Structure formats: C-alpha cells, structure tokens
Amino acid sequence: GAVVSQHPSWVICKSGTSVKIECRSLDFQATTMFWYRQFPKQSLMLMATSNEGSKATYEQGVEKDKFLINHASLTLSTLTVTSAHPEDSSFYICSASERRGADTQYFGPGTRLTVL
Amino acid sequence: AQSVTQLDSQVPVFEEAPVELRCNYSSSVSVYLFWYVQYPNQGLQLLLKYLSGSTLVKGINGFEAEFNKSQTSFHLRKPSVHISDTAEYFCAVSDRSGFQKLVFGTGTRLLVSP
C-alpha cells in the first residue's frame, strides 16, 4: 500500500520550453502533496506544499511563476517547470500524505530533468 | 524551525560488520523523527520513524534507531550490514503541527564492501 508514482521518470528538454511532471497516489487519497528538489549528492529541499483544491504554498526562494503546481484531485498533483533553463536541471521528487498533518509522507521515485 | 545534522557524509564498512549512522537535530518544539534510504536514481523509502512511546524503534531491513531526547539524537544502527545496504541515508524531522513539513539532513552515504 501507499504507492506514489511519478511520470516521466526522466525528461530531456531544450532551454525555454516547459515541462510537466505528474505525481500520482495509486492506492490512497492524498490530501497533501509535497514537491522536493534534489541536486547531485545533496539533500532534498522542499519547494512547495499543495493541498487538493487550493493553491500551493511555496517555500522561500522558490519562484511560484516558474514552478507551477496544480493539485486538482486527491490522487494527482502536477509540477510544471516553465521556460526551463539549464540551472533547472535536477531530480524532482514528490511525496504524498493521506491527510493534513499525517505523520508519514510516501515518496515517488523521482523525475530526472535535464535542460539542454 | 528545525534543523538536522548528519556529521558523516560517507561511512565505509565491511560486509557483516555493524554500523551506526549519526543524526542530531535541533528544534524548539516536539518533533517526529524519520530515517529514509535512497538507492541510486530512486525516490526515498521509509526505514523507520519515531512518533512517541518506546525510544528504540525497529524498522525494515534489520535497521533500528534510538531516540535520545537529552542528546537530541536519533542514530541509526544495524548489527550486520550487507552489500545491498549500500545507499544514501537521510535523517529527517517534522514538527507535530500543521503540514508537518520534513526537514532533511544532508545525507550519509553508506558504502559496504566485501
């Protein structure tokens, strides 16, 4: 149980294009989803927290107009990297919890984004 | 705000030897504590968590951790490691209110050699 999937697992795009990453909870309803970014050999940094049906809450320093997050249903959240640049290349990981304030997050397998 | 310190960036160990990965945290409020494992190019898998109760927590794959409130530590241990335990290990904390956002340490790479 508590499986989270991400699609695609890896993507390569040209600079200036937009890329959408999907995060799905497969066997539970995720009231809250989180998006993290991980640079090579570094820890995970929280980018934003989203609740189903409401706007995402972004962490300090994260550009909300660049990283668009939509949490339209209880099983799907999307992260769109708009006008991607090489510095946006990273490993993006989502996680989900069953309810606000749940003590455990379940992580997706991650999406490797490479911007040329 | 919380912070997590994993002092050891890399821990080399021989197969079947015991290992301890250190984690210290700082917080002005009560926290939940977690250990996650990450294999190359994969997401994170929960090893174990401390929410309340017994300070010795047992997790998957033979790992255990002990919560020490006075030392603000949550060290991870395994009595006998396998080659397959080679991975990155992250300690994390979250507060007990609100969205319980996770704050991660910088990770410890466990390298198990034959």
Coordinates of all heavy atoms in Angstrom, one line a residue, chain A residues 32 34 36 38 42-44 46 49 51 59 91 93 100-105 107-110 112, chain B residues 32 34 36 38 41-46 49 51 90 94 97-102 104-107:
Chain A
T32 N -2.6 16.0 0.9 CA -1.5 16.9 0.8 C -0.3 16.3 0.0 O 0.0 15.1 0.2 CB -0.9 17.2 2.2 OG1 -2.0 17.8 3.0 CG2 0.2 18.2 2.1
F34 N 3.7 17.1 -1.6 CA 4.9 17.9 -1.4 C 5.8 17.7 -2.7 O 5.9 16.6 -3.2 CB 5.7 17.5 -0.2 CG 4.9 17.6 1.1 CD1 4.1 16.5 1.5 CD2 5.0 18.7 1.9 CE1 3.4 16.5 2.7 CE2 4.3 18.7 3.1 CZ 3.5 17.6 3.5
Y36 N 9.8 18.3 -3.9 CA 11.2 18.5 -3.5 C 12.1 18.5 -4.7 O 11.8 18.0 -5.8 CB 11.6 17.3 -2.6 CG 10.9 17.2 -1.3 CD1 9.7 16.4 -1.2 CD2 11.4 17.7 -0.1 CE1 9.0 16.3 0.0 CE2 10.8 17.5 1.1 CZ 9.6 16.8 1.1 OH 8.9 16.7 2.3
Q38 N 16.2 17.9 -5.6 CA 17.5 17.4 -5.1 C 18.6 17.5 -6.1 O 18.5 17.0 -7.2 CB 17.3 15.9 -4.8 CG 18.5 15.3 -4.1 CD 18.4 13.8 -3.8 OE1 17.7 13.1 -4.5 NE2 19.0 13.3 -2.7
Q42 N 23.3 15.9 -2.9 CA 22.8 16.8 -1.9 C 21.5 16.3 -1.3 O 20.9 15.3 -1.8 CB 22.7 18.2 -2.4 CG 24.0 18.9 -2.8 CD 23.8 20.4 -3.2 OE1 22.9 21.0 -2.7 NE2 24.6 20.9 -4.1
S43 N 21.0 17.0 -0.3 CA 19.8 16.6 0.3 C 18.6 17.1 -0.5 O 18.7 17.8 -1.5 CB 19.8 17.1 1.7 OG 18.7 16.6 2.4
L44 N 17.4 16.7 0.0 CA 16.2 17.2 -0.6 C 15.8 18.5 0.0 O 15.8 18.7 1.2 CB 15.0 16.2 -0.3 CG 15.0 14.9 -1.1 CD1 16.0 14.0 -0.7 CD2 13.6 14.3 -1.0
L46 N 12.6 21.2 0.2 CA 11.2 21.3 -0.1 C 11.0 22.6 -0.9 O 11.5 23.7 -0.6 CB 10.4 21.4 1.2 CG 8.9 21.6 1.1 CD1 8.3 20.4 0.5 CD2 8.3 21.9 2.5
T49 N 4.3 23.0 -0.9 CA 3.3 22.1 -0.3 C 1.9 22.4 -1.0 O 1.5 23.6 -1.1 CB 3.1 22.3 1.2 OG1 4.4 22.1 1.8 CG2 2.1 21.4 1.8
N51 N -2.3 21.4 -1.3 CA -3.5 20.7 -0.8 C -4.5 20.6 -1.9 O -4.7 21.6 -2.7 CB -4.1 21.4 0.4 CG -3.2 21.1 1.7 OD1 -3.3 20.0 2.2 ND2 -2.5 22.1 2.1
E59 N 7.9 27.5 -0.7 CA 9.0 27.8 0.3 C 9.7 29.1 -0.2 O 9.7 29.5 -1.4 CB 10.0 26.7 0.4 CG 9.4 25.4 1.0 CD 8.8 25.6 2.4 OE1 9.6 26.0 3.3 OE2 7.6 25.5 2.6
F91 N 16.8 16.7 -9.9 CA 16.0 15.5 -9.6 C 14.8 16.0 -8.8 O 15.0 16.6 -7.7 CB 16.8 14.5 -8.8 CG 16.2 13.1 -8.8 CD1 15.8 12.4 -9.9 CD2 16.1 12.4 -7.6 CE1 15.3 11.2 -9.9 CE2 15.6 11.1 -7.5 CZ 15.2 10.5 -8.6
I93 N 11.4 15.3 -6.8 CA 10.7 14.2 -6.1 C 9.4 14.7 -5.4 O 9.4 15.8 -4.8 CB 11.6 13.6 -5.0 CG1 12.9 13.1 -5.6 CG2 10.9 12.4 -4.3 CD1 13.9 12.6 -4.6
R100 N -4.0 16.2 5.9 CA -3.2 17.2 6.5 C -2.7 16.9 7.9 O -3.5 16.4 8.7 CB -4.0 18.5 6.6 CG -3.2 19.6 7.3 CD -4.1 20.9 7.4 NE -3.3 21.9 8.2 CZ -3.7 23.1 8.4 NH1 -4.8 23.5 7.8 NH2 -3.0 23.9 9.1
G101 N -1.5 17.0 8.2 CA -1.0 16.7 9.5 C -0.7 15.2 9.7 O -0.3 14.8 10.8
A102 N -0.8 14.4 8.6 CA -0.4 13.0 8.8 C 1.1 12.9 9.1 O 1.9 13.7 8.6 CB -0.7 12.3 7.5
D103 N 1.5 11.9 9.9 CA 2.9 11.9 10.3 C 3.8 11.3 9.3 O 5.0 11.4 9.4 CB 3.0 11.1 11.6 CG 2.4 9.7 11.5 OD1 3.0 8.9 10.7 OD2 1.3 9.4 12.1
T104 N 3.3 10.7 8.2 CA 4.2 10.0 7.3 C 3.9 10.4 5.9 O 2.8 10.5 5.4 CB 4.0 8.5 7.4 OG1 4.3 8.0 8.7 CG2 5.0 7.8 6.4
Q105 N 5.0 10.7 5.1 CA 4.9 11.0 3.7 C 5.4 9.8 2.9 O 6.4 9.2 3.3 CB 5.7 12.3 3.4 CG 5.3 13.5 4.0 CD 6.2 14.7 3.7 OE1 6.9 14.7 2.7 NE2 6.2 15.7 4.6
F107 N 7.0 8.7 -0.7 CA 7.7 9.3 -1.8 C 7.6 8.6 -3.1 O 7.5 7.4 -3.2 CB 9.2 9.4 -1.4 CG 9.5 10.5 -0.4 CD1 9.2 10.3 0.9 CD2 9.9 11.7 -0.8 CE1 9.4 11.3 1.9 CE2 10.2 12.7 0.1 CZ 9.9 12.5 1.5
G108 N 7.5 9.4 -4.2 CA 7.6 8.9 -5.5 C 9.0 8.6 -5.9 O 10.0 8.9 -5.1
P109 N 9.2 7.9 -7.0 CA 10.6 7.5 -7.5 C 11.4 8.6 -8.0 O 12.6 8.4 -8.3 CB 10.3 6.4 -8.5 CG 9.0 6.8 -9.1 CD 8.2 7.4 -7.9
G110 N 10.8 9.8 -8.2 CA 11.6 10.9 -8.7 C 11.6 11.1 -10.2 O 11.3 10.1 -11.0
R112 N 14.1 12.8 -13.3 CA 15.3 13.5 -13.6 C 15.1 14.4 -14.8 O 14.7 14.0 -15.8 CB 16.4 12.4 -14.0 CG 17.7 13.0 -14.5 CD 18.5 13.5 -13.4 NE 18.9 12.5 -12.4 CZ 19.4 12.8 -11.2 NH1 19.6 14.0 -10.9 NH2 19.7 11.8 -10.4
Chain B
Y32 N 8.6 14.8 15.2 CA 8.7 13.4 14.7 C 10.0 13.2 14.0 O 10.6 14.1 13.4 CB 7.6 13.1 13.7 CG 6.2 13.2 14.2 CD1 5.2 13.7 13.5 CD2 5.8 12.7 15.5 CE1 3.8 13.8 13.9 CE2 4.5 12.8 16.0 CZ 3.6 13.3 15.2 OH 2.3 13.4 15.7
F34 N 12.6 10.6 11.5 CA 12.5 9.6 10.4 C 13.9 9.3 9.9 O 14.8 10.2 9.9 CB 11.7 10.2 9.2 CG 10.3 10.6 9.6 CD1 10.1 11.9 10.1 CD2 9.2 9.8 9.4 CE1 8.8 12.3 10.4 CE2 7.9 10.2 9.7 CZ 7.7 11.5 10.2
Y36 N 15.2 7.7 6.1 CA 14.8 7.3 4.8 C 16.1 6.8 4.1 O 17.2 7.2 4.4 CB 14.3 8.4 4.0 CG 12.9 8.9 4.3 CD1 12.7 9.8 5.3 CD2 11.8 8.3 3.7 CE1 11.4 10.2 5.6 CE2 10.5 8.7 4.0 CZ 10.3 9.7 5.0 OH 9.0 10.0 5.3
Q38 N 17.8 6.0 0.2 CA 17.6 6.3 -1.2 C 18.7 5.5 -2.0 O 19.9 5.7 -1.8 CB 17.8 7.8 -1.5 CG 17.6 8.2 -2.9 CD 17.8 9.7 -3.2 OE1 18.6 10.3 -2.6 NE2 17.0 10.2 -4.1
N41 N 19.3 7.0 -8.2 CA 18.3 7.4 -9.1 C 16.8 6.9 -8.7 O 16.0 6.6 -9.6 CB 18.6 6.8 -10.5 CG 19.9 7.5 -11.1 OD1 20.0 8.7 -11.0 ND2 20.8 6.6 -11.5
Q42 N 16.6 6.8 -7.4 CA 15.3 6.4 -7.0 C 14.8 7.4 -5.9 O 15.6 8.3 -5.5 CB 15.3 5.0 -6.4 CG 15.6 3.9 -7.4 CD 15.5 2.5 -6.8 OE1 14.8 2.3 -5.8 NE2 16.3 1.6 -7.3
G43 N 13.5 7.3 -5.6 CA 13.0 8.1 -4.5 C 13.4 7.6 -3.2 O 14.3 6.8 -3.1
L44 N 12.7 8.1 -2.2 CA 13.1 7.7 -0.8 C 12.1 6.6 -0.3 O 10.9 6.7 -0.5 CB 13.0 8.9 0.1 CG 14.2 9.8 0.2 CD1 14.5 10.5 -1.1 CD2 14.1 10.8 1.3
Q45 N 12.7 5.7 0.5 CA 11.9 4.7 1.1 C 12.1 4.8 2.6 O 13.2 5.0 3.2 CB 12.5 3.3 0.7 CG 11.7 2.1 1.3 CD 12.3 0.8 0.9 OE1 13.3 0.7 0.2 NE2 11.6 -0.3 1.2
L46 N 10.9 4.8 3.3 CA 10.9 4.9 4.8 C 11.5 3.7 5.4 O 11.1 2.6 5.2 CB 9.5 5.2 5.3 CG 9.4 5.3 6.8 CD1 10.0 6.6 7.2 CD2 7.9 5.4 7.1
K49 N 10.5 5.2 11.8 CA 10.1 6.5 12.3 C 9.8 6.5 13.8 O 9.4 5.4 14.3 CB 8.8 7.0 11.6 CG 7.6 6.1 11.8 CD 6.4 6.6 10.9 CE 5.2 5.6 11.1 NZ 4.1 6.0 10.2
L51 N 7.5 8.4 16.6 CA 6.4 9.3 16.8 C 6.3 9.6 18.3 O 6.1 10.7 18.7 CB 5.1 8.7 16.2 CG 5.2 8.4 14.7 CD1 3.8 7.9 14.2 CD2 5.6 9.6 13.9
F90 N 19.1 9.3 4.7 CA 18.7 10.6 5.2 C 17.9 10.5 6.5 O 16.9 9.8 6.6 CB 17.8 11.3 4.1 CG 18.5 11.6 2.9 CD1 18.5 10.8 1.8 CD2 19.3 12.8 2.8 CE1 19.1 11.1 0.6 CE2 19.9 13.1 1.6 CZ 19.9 12.3 0.5
S94 N 10.1 16.4 11.4 CA 9.0 17.3 11.1 C 8.4 17.7 12.5 O 8.4 17.0 13.5 CB 8.0 16.6 10.3 OG 7.3 15.6 11.0
S97 N 2.7 19.7 14.1 CA 1.5 20.5 13.8 C 1.5 20.9 12.3 O 2.5 20.7 11.6 CB 1.5 21.8 14.7 OG 2.6 22.6 14.4
G98 N 0.4 21.5 11.9 CA 0.3 22.0 10.6 C 0.5 20.9 9.5 O 0.0 19.8 9.7
F99 N 1.3 21.2 8.5 CA 1.5 20.2 7.4 C 2.6 19.3 7.7 O 2.9 18.4 6.9 CB 1.8 21.0 6.1 CG 0.6 21.8 5.6 CD1 0.6 23.1 5.6 CD2 -0.5 21.1 5.1 CE1 -0.5 23.8 5.1 CE2 -1.6 21.8 4.6 CZ -1.6 23.2 4.6
Q100 N 3.3 19.5 8.8 CA 4.4 18.6 9.1 C 5.4 18.4 8.0 O 5.7 17.3 7.6 CB 3.9 17.2 9.6 CG 3.0 17.3 10.8 CD 2.4 16.0 11.3 OE1 2.6 15.0 10.6 NE2 1.8 16.1 12.4
K101 N 5.9 19.6 7.6 CA 6.9 19.6 6.5 C 8.2 18.9 7.0 O 8.7 19.1 8.1 CB 7.2 21.0 6.1 CG 6.0 21.7 5.5 CD 6.4 23.0 4.9 CE 6.6 24.0 6.0 NZ 6.8 25.4 5.4
L102 N 8.8 18.1 6.2 CA 10.0 17.4 6.5 C 11.2 18.3 6.3 O 11.3 18.9 5.2 CB 10.1 16.1 5.7 CG 9.3 14.9 6.1 CD1 9.4 13.8 5.1 CD2 9.7 14.4 7.5
F104 N 15.3 17.7 6.0 CA 16.2 16.6 5.9 C 17.6 17.0 6.2 O 18.0 18.2 6.1 CB 16.2 16.2 4.4 CG 15.0 15.4 4.0 CD1 13.9 16.0 3.5 CD2 15.0 14.0 4.1 CE1 12.8 15.3 3.1 CE2 13.9 13.3 3.7 CZ 12.8 13.9 3.2
G105 N 18.4 16.1 6.7 CA 19.8 16.2 6.8 C 20.5 16.1 5.5 O 19.8 15.9 4.5
T106 N 21.8 16.3 5.4 CA 22.5 16.3 4.2 C 22.8 14.9 3.7 O 23.3 14.7 2.6 CB 23.8 17.0 4.3 OG1 24.5 16.6 5.4 CG2 23.6 18.5 4.5
G107 N 22.5 13.9 4.5 CA 22.6 12.5 4.0 C 24.0 11.9 4.4 O 25.0 12.6 4.5

